[in-house]
Amino acid sequence: MSELAPAVARTEPLRIPRTIVLVGLMGAGKSAIGRRLAARLNLPFVDADREIESAAGCTIEDIFERYGEPAFRAGERRVILRLLAEPVHVLATGGGAYIDAEIRAAVKAHGLSVWLRADLELLLRRVSRRTDRPLLKRGEPREVLERLMAARYPIYAEADMVVDSVDGPPDTMVDAVIAALASCAAVAQVQP
Ligand code: S3P
């Protein structure tokens, strides 16, 4: 039997002991997959970027423009540390969140992290659909993403699980995340 069999055969949703924290670059699918994953696991879904916007009363673009990136990062840290103390849910983080050492330490202590790893071409295709990401205004999207991949991928690699981001029906990726969770020791331990 393959290692994936328990997840495939399972009819009840997995019991999840800690908040599932999706990390990865913009365009990797954290929000889209997170929302569907939460529905499949009967857990609440929270998008950290939306929480930051509602705490600030303006968009992320506005926060960057009016107050600068350090203020955004401080707000992001406050919001994510607060969310990690809340009951178990699925949390989609912004691409820079896991790069922050304090957030990363809190995720390691209180969450189960999943890196949605994507290649450059897939990210480029996805980010070209939206124009509201402040970091992408700092240069050619390809160069910005290449720089971010070089700086961040070694850090995202510290996540508890890695799932490759692919084009196609989102449920394929949700299945892959559920399979990764099912084989993760912290989840396996709490199954009935
Ligand atoms: C950022 C990614 C964005 C958002 C902000 C900064 C980053 O979130 O948090 O623009 O540093 O990569 P998404 O990854 O959801 O686009």
Side-chain angles (χ1 to χ4, degrees), residues 30-52:
K30 302 177 297 283
S31 303
I33 300 305
R35 191 166 288 112
R36 289 174 170 84
L37 177 67
R40 288 271 292 274
L41 296 173
N42 290 331
L43 289 173
F45 171 70
V46 181
D47 189 311
D49 282 348
R50 301 293 81 77
E51 290 283 315
I52 296 164

Side-chain angles (χ1 to χ4, degrees), residues 1-14 178-179 182:
M1 289 285 269
S2 93
E3 267 187 52
L4 303 186
V8 174
R10 183 174 291 280
T11 50
E12 291 295 310
L14 287 174
I178 290 176

Side-chain angles (χ1 to χ4, degrees), residues 65-140:
E65 238 172 70
R66 290 184 205 161
Y67 311 107
E69 182 172 351
F72 168 75
R73 296 298 172 198
E76 178 175 56
R77 192 178 308 119
R78 264 195 311 277
V79 165
I80 293 180
L81 296 183
R82 168 175 61 76
L83 291 170
L84 284 170
E86 290 187 1
V88 171
H89 58 279
V90 175
L91 175 61
T93 60
Y98 195 68
I99 308 308
D100 179 275
E102 204 177 330
I103 295 179
R104 198 159 65 252
V107 171
K108 286 180 183 176
H110 305 291
L112 288 170
S113 49
V114 184
W115 173 23
L116 300 186
R117 178 175 59 191
D119 67 33
L120 179 62
E121 300 307 323
L122 180 140
L123 293 173
L124 271 170
R125 275 197 303 281
R126 301 250 186 95
V127 300
S128 64
R129 295 177 203 152
R130 267 175 52 186
T131 56
D132 58 348
R133 289 183 164 113
L135 295 191
L136 290 177
K137 295 181 181 155
R138 294 182 179 168
E140 278 302 306

